[in-house]
Amino acid sequence: GEDVEQSLFLSVREGDSSVINCTYTDSSSTYLYWYKQEPGAGLQLLTYIFSNMDMKQDQRLTVLLNKKDKHLSLRIADTQTGDSAIYFCAESRRSTLGRLYFGRGTQLTVWP
Amino acid sequence: DGGITQSPKYLFRKEGQNVTLSCEQNLNHDAMYWYRQDPGQGLRLIYYSQIVNDFQKGDIAEGYSVSREKKESFPLTVTSAQKNPTAFYLCASSNLGELAGGFFGPGTRLTVL
């Protein structure tokens, strides 16, 4: 199976909350990241969390980490049409310092 | 402004030709990376470099080559040996250490005609 897994699609209505989920397999994960990619563009680092934390909040973004289950989620409050994009979950590992392992990305579509 | 630049944004190549994609950063980052992105796929690591004059193969290095003669620059050559080179190529850089999450360039879309 994949090292990092995400559901591929999520649709929400404008103003609702979005929750994007991710699971990973490596127990030596150090940091976990969420990136946003708009069409035809590179990746923008949204937020990250250290593997010993269980929650991080940054304005409309809330990251939850369940290390026991190796489950990461990104909650976007008050989702806007401008949030429509692909969201990638990624991890870095103590065993391979310096590189990232990515999921396939979740396409978030926000309906007005 | 600090950042990563990639050029060109779009590149067309005939089969059998080598082509070089440019990546430059002025963030003073030690590490640089090349990823390939295909539709519906995550990012797959081609090559990475943590120091000048040194680089390591990633998961899909066959048919690609790189050099790291300067800290700021990490060009990627897609050779004729790469069987399916049409893809979106992303360059990234980061500081070394466990917080590896880095900055990405805008990408180069390569199409083989």
Side-chain angles (χ1 to χ4, degrees):
Chain A
E2 304 269 340
D3 291 317
V4 180
E5 292 195 355
Q6 305 176 235
S7 53
L8 295 182
F9 302 99
L10 176 66
S11 293
V12 300
R13 193 173 296 279
E14 190 173 25
D16 289 349
S17 291
S18 309
V19 179
I20 303 172
N21 294 301
C22 170
T23 57
Y24 60 98
T25 58
D26 197 281
S27 57
S28 73
S29 292
T30 51
Y31 286 88
L32 295 121
Y33 309 82
W34 284 104
Y35 285 87
K36 177 183 180 182
Q37 185 182 36
E38 299 188 7
L43 273 65
Q44 174 194 354
L45 178 62
L46 286 178
T47 187
Y48 61 91
I49 188 168
F50 184 51
S51 59
N52 280 348
M53 297 172 61
D54 51 21
M55 188 182 93
K56 180 177 181 181
Q57 189 154 0
D58 184 0
Q59 299 183 353
R60 290 191 299 125
L61 305 178
T62 302
V63 179
L64 296 178
L65 175 61
N66 181 327
K67 192 171 183 179
K68 174 177 170 290
D69 294 338
K70 297 187 177 66
H71 182 267
L72 180 75
S73 68
L74 174 69
R75 178 177 179 270
I76 305 173
D78 187 24
T79 314
Q80 302 297 307
T81 54
D83 294 323
S84 292
I86 300 176
Y87 290 81
F88 289 94
C89 169
E91 59 165 342
S92 56
R93 300 173 183 171
R94 205 178 309 278
S95 56
T96 52
L97 206 63
R99 64 161 292 180
L100 295 177
Y101 299 83
F102 284 87
R104 291 190 173 194
T106 299
Q107 172 73 61
L108 173 64
T109 302
V110 183
W111 301 99
Chain B
D1 287 338
I4 302 178
T5 56
Q6 291 185 243
S7 60
K9 187 169 178 63
Y10 299 97
L11 190 55
F12 297 89
R13 188 194 94 173
K14 291 182 181 178
E15 280 193 31
Q17 288 182 336
N18 292 355
V19 63
T20 298
L21 282 59
S22 168
C23 178
E24 304 275 334
Q25 55 100 358
N26 61 3
L27 300 164
N28 200 33
H29 284 162
D30 290 304
M32 297 186 74
Y33 310 82
W34 275 105
Y35 291 91
R36 171 180 170 141
Q37 185 179 21
D38 295 284
Q41 301 289 323
L43 276 67
R44 293 183 290 169
L45 183 66
I46 305 172
Y47 268 99
Y48 64 106
S49 167
Q50 296 183 329
I51 194 168
V52 174
N53 292 323
D54 188 41
F55 46 83
Q56 288 78 40
K57 292 182 179 180
D59 300 323
I60 56 165
E62 186 175 348
Y64 300 97
S65 66
V66 293
S67 63
R68 185 91 186 274
E69 296 177 1
K70 296 187 299 182
K71 188 175 184 178
E72 302 80 23
S73 178
F74 191 41
L76 173 74
T77 296
V78 184
T79 75
S80 57
Q82 170 47 237
K83 299 303 179 193
N84 185 20
T86 295
F88 190 49
Y89 291 88
L90 288 160
C91 179
S93 72
S94 72
N95 286 316
L96 288 175
E98 294 181 343
L99 181 55
F103 291 87
F104 279 79
T108 292
R109 184 164 300 279
L110 173 64
T111 303
V112 174
L113 303 173

